Amino acid sequence: MLPVDMGAITETLFESELFGHVKGAFTDAKVDKPGKFELADGSTIFLDEIGNLSYSLQAKLLTALQRRSIVRVGGSKQIPINVRLVCATNRNLEELVEKRLFREDLYYRLAVVPIRVPPLRERKEDIPMLTRHFLAASARQLGVEPKQLSEGALARLAQFGFPGNVRQLENICHWLTVMAPAQVISLQDLPPEVLESPVCQGLARADALADGAGEALPPMASPLSAPERAGNL
């Protein structure tokens, strides 16, 4: 799978990045360059944050999907493409269509098998598994032993709203891997964004008592990775 962050591509580079360019198409085009669709030919291309694509660029993407071919910037040859397209967004595309911010024809071209992944705040039962996974991943990245959460720390995380969804939990786990002083992460070790959350502050006393025992959760196998950062499709 070839991932593409649509929110990170500027309008001026959109066609060059997705469709490629030929030598001399613009000042810095010193060689022919295939685009993402050509590179993903015969496999899967993952367009992340598709809801951030500007209205004018949506038409260019739709044209390529309808024709099943692309033309490199500066070129004239139609290049056939055969890709499986997966898109993701944390925005409500139906609402964007109603507001004329997302093309209706492109929406129905993409929404063949829509899958809604609920935000983390709606699936609290996933927090322990994801936390263990992210703590283990951060430990591997930093070359250290993975840390474990105490029951009190996990209870506090379960009460947190996670406005940044799964990515925020991943960042918190990386922060804890670096900043927590002991192998067992206590309630007091959690970052300020969690401890100072209004909902969490109301449970401070109960969580502190639960955390007093300092019992760590047993280790658990990491879950299979999935395009969780996709948010809502």
Side-chain angles (χ1 to χ4, degrees):
M1 179 183 291
L2 179 62
V4 182
D5 185 355
M6 304 298 285
I9 300 178
T10 63
E11 291 203 24
T12 54
L13 294 177
F14 174 83
E15 289 184 272
S16 176
E17 286 293 317
L18 264 64
F19 308 143
H21 61 252
V22 299
K23 181 180 179 181
F26 47 86
T27 303
D28 293 328
K30 299 180 180 179
V31 296
D32 290 350
K33 177 185 175 183
K36 304 296 186 183
F37 274 96
E38 280 187 79
L39 295 174
D41 190 49
S43 60
T44 302
I45 185 169
F46 173 51
L47 303 184
D48 196 9
E49 306 294 355
I50 189 70
N52 293 337
L53 189 62
S54 71
Y55 200 86
S56 61
L57 296 181
Q58 293 170 25
K60 297 178 180 180
L61 176 60
L62 177 63
T63 299
L65 297 179
Q66 289 177 331
R67 293 178 177 176
R68 297 181 182 272
S69 65
I70 56 95
V71 178
R72 291 182 178 180
V73 176
S76 58
K77 178 182 177 182
Q78 290 282 345
I79 303 174
I81 53 173
N82 176 27
V83 298
R84 180 190 296 109
L85 184 63
V86 178
C87 299
T89 181
N90 59 3
R91 306 181 70 182
N92 188 321
L93 293 186
E94 293 181 348
E95 289 184 359
L96 294 180
V97 169
E98 292 179 359
K99 296 177 181 178
R100 299 181 180 273
L101 297 175
F102 199 88
R103 294 180 63 99
E104 185 176 19
D105 45 6
L106 178 58
Y107 172 76
Y108 286 111
R109 172 69 65 172
L110 299 176
V112 179
V113 184
I115 300 174
R116 180 181 182 272
V117 180
L120 190 57
R121 63 180 176 273
E122 295 181 11
R123 47 193 175 96
K124 301 287 189 178
E125 66 278 5
D126 289 349
I127 291 177
M129 178 177 61
L130 289 171
T131 300
R132 292 184 178 100
H133 170 68
F134 290 137
L135 286 173
S138 293
R140 286 194 301 271
Q141 180 182 349
L142 298 173
V144 298
E145 287 295 318
K147 295 180 179 180
Q148 300 177 35
L149 278 176
S150 68
E151 292 182 1
L154 180 62
R156 180 62 66 87
L157 283 177
Q159 295 296 331
F160 186 56
F162 289 102
N165 209 10
V166 177
R167 291 173 182 166
Q168 186 175 16
L169 176 60
E170 181 179 10
N171 291 340
I172 287 173
C173 289
H174 191 77
W175 187 92
L176 289 169
T177 299
V178 175
M179 301 299 294
Q183 284 301 109
V184 177
I185 299 168
S186 67
L187 173 63
Q188 291 76 17
D189 295 330
L190 295 177
E193 64 192 279
V194 177
L195 294 176
E196 296 173 4
S197 170
V199 174
C200 293
Q201 281 183 339
L203 299 165
R205 289 189 178 182
D207 285 348
L209 291 174
D211 197 52
E215 296 180 0
L217 295 173
M220 177 178 176
S222 299
L224 294 175
S225 62
E228 284 282 355
R229 56 186 175 152
N232 299 336
L233 185 65

